[in-house]
Amino acid sequence: MLEVHDLHASVGEIKILRGINFTVKKGETHAIMGPNGSGKSTFANVLAGRPEYTVTKGEVLLDGKNLLSMEPDVRAREGVFLAMQYPVELPGVRYNQFLKAALDAIREHKGEDQIDIRAFNQLLKEKGDLVEINPDLMRRNVNEGFSGGEKKRSEILQMALLEPHLALLDETDSGLDIDALKTVADGVNRLQDPEKSVILVTHYQRLLNYISPDFVHVLIDGKIAKSGDHKLALELENKGYDWLRETIPPVSETSGESAS
Amino acid sequence: MSKIAASEIAFIEHFDSFNSMMTSTQPNWLNQKRADAFTNYRTNGLPTGRRGNESWKYTDVRDISNTAFANSSEDLITSITEKDLLDSSHLNKNWSTLVFINGVYSSSLSTQNPNDGIQITNIKDALGSHGQIIERHLGKYIAPDDDPFVLLNTAFINDGAFIYIPKGIASQDPIHVIYFSTSETDPTISHPRTLIVTEEFSETTLIESYVGTPKAKYFTNNVTEIVIGEESRVDHYRLLLDNPDSFHIGTTVVHQEKASTFSSTSLQKGAALGRHNLTSTLAAPQSTCNLNGLYMTTGSQHIDNYINIEHIEPHTTSRLYYKGILDGSSRAIFGGTVTVQRGAMKTDAQQKDKNLLLSREAEVDSKPALFIYADDVICGHGATAGHMDDNSVFYMQSRGIDLLTARRMLIKAFASEIIEEVKIDSLREYLEDLFVSFEDELTLLQASSI
Ligand SMILES: Nc1ncnc2c1ncn2[C@@H]1O[C@H](COP(=O)(O)OP(=O)(O)OP(=O)(O)O)[C@@H](O)[C@H]1O
Ligand SMILES: [Mg+2]
């Protein structure tokens, strides 16, 4: 469902992604690991359409459609969801109004009617129970004053409600206590069905104890340095990343590594 | 400086004829007050930048000085109907409503439903029935009293709203004063005066609406004096909704007695040039004032808020929270000064001004200031100005919300902190609708802006 071909992206003059090749099929879960600053968040954000990144080369297809030509909101309506590493606080925007606007936009795109307010409240309650989020949070402003862990749960709640086809989770496990981690993992596992795919960005093996990825990729300096199955994550836990750095030539502009 | 501006010539001519008309009808003390005010006004005339006047530094009133305002005819005043009011203002039939057209009281458009000895009337009539109260309070709390526009207002006192709330009375419904302005070919001017005096243990809500006929050219120069008795509260709403071609200079002076509370919401959407001076004096212990404001500007509007809070006595509290949304090449000034006088220990004062700039050309000068002459106080102030946050917009879009809706929701969210605080349901709903009409004017919310 997602095909990434030779993707290069920059911020201003700074080159961050340097030729990513990557394929995710329906129903698969992929984990992306890699050292700080290697471009993991950039990759996830480029897929979601964050405007500050410029794609300088390459192509991304979602179900055969050119993803990069779509506005971020159109991507979301086409089923892409990004759980952000740093969820944004929206002072003055009520959580439930925000979620209803989002859900209605996605429903409208599918040719469905707006959800009626009572059905919405019911749905929100169900999904909230599922991710064990404090219901009081939903009466507040979006993420405003939420704790770090509450923000991450809030992202998972949004995902559960919007039911994306392709979920990008950028370090949703960071800053979570062990119970929250299980809840998040649960939320992700519940989302999984043969039609849906997940890309997890994580630093920790511990999440992968709960969510078993079909593939693990290591991103270094804007390129995929190695791909493997879940055993690669264990190997990384023991050996770190340095042994992989040598396997790619330093500062070479030629692309070629392929993954998946 | 030797050249006398068009409006000043007009003021001088008007004052002489106005004065000779008023002398026979107004009491001596008021005639004296008006004459003194006019003499003082003539010493300096209207403010200009050249005179280095700090309080008028950022607001150029030359457009006012250069306009020769004419008196409005009787026919013009009586031509205004209830429909004109409805088109420009909130109207609630259950409330006592005093309506003034170009400063002249309209008994036919006004509704008076006072309860329990509350006096809601026009100053002209009240001079007979409540002359002593008016004499005791009118002009007594204005400090410093050398503001040229205040002096002009006093010199031309003719009519306005008078409200008196006796001891222990809580007025059930809000009292609404509408100052409606209109003009024919020549620009008109009015100097409406409002005086509200509340005695101990009372509660009142006062709404002032400044509105006008679309396209009319006029200048409203108002002064409102609010005297709040011990243990009393006044909720005040001030809606500056004058048409976009008009001039508006307003002064509100609040005097607070022991353990009184003054809460105000000032909403400013109208006028080409708008200025509001607001002075609140916490003259006795335990008094509190909460001043909220929202200014919304488009085009080449200029809105200036000049606010002074004076903490005189101990254990007084003030909260000042103003927000601005600016579009086009509009400009806003926020000058907020909190002064804690020597005796005012245990003062708790916070002031904040936040601005959302929606275009590159819009500009705000925000100058909160604190002067503290007492010990053991808690005071804070801050000002911010910024453009719409790209991160927030992207976050919303990444959930499927389209760009225009995301922007609209964020702009609304910015204003909602002030609008949601409005406790009167029908007024809040009116303001929410008004906000939608403001949004419709914003460049960033046009489909063509994408
Ligand atoms: N908006 C930006 N402006 C400037 N530099 C940026 C920007 N976004 C990313 N970068 C730089 O690009 C590189 C990759 O950043 P990215 O956030 O993608 O890393 P990451 O792999 O997610 O790291 P971490 O594990 O710390 O989250 C970093 O060096 C970062 O400083
Ligand atoms: Mg990251």
Side-chain angles (χ1 to χ4, degrees), chain A residues 50 73 77 82 155 158, chain B residues 391 395 397 399-400 402 420:
Chain A
R50 186 184 283 274
D73 50 309
R77 282 178 250 152
L82 171 63
E155 296 289 281
Q158 294 176 37
Chain B
N391 258 330
Y395 188 69
Q397 281 189 287
R399 271 50 179 154
D402 67 86
E420 278 179 7

Side-chain angles (χ1 to χ4, degrees), chain A residues 35 52 59 63 85 92 100 118 121 131 133 147 201 205 260:
Chain A
E52 68 203 60
E59 184 185 45
D63 297 325
Q85 184 173 4
K100 186 163 187 312
R118 286 181 49 200
N121 287 335
V131 304
I133 196 165
S147 75
V201 173
Q205 163 60 29
S260 84

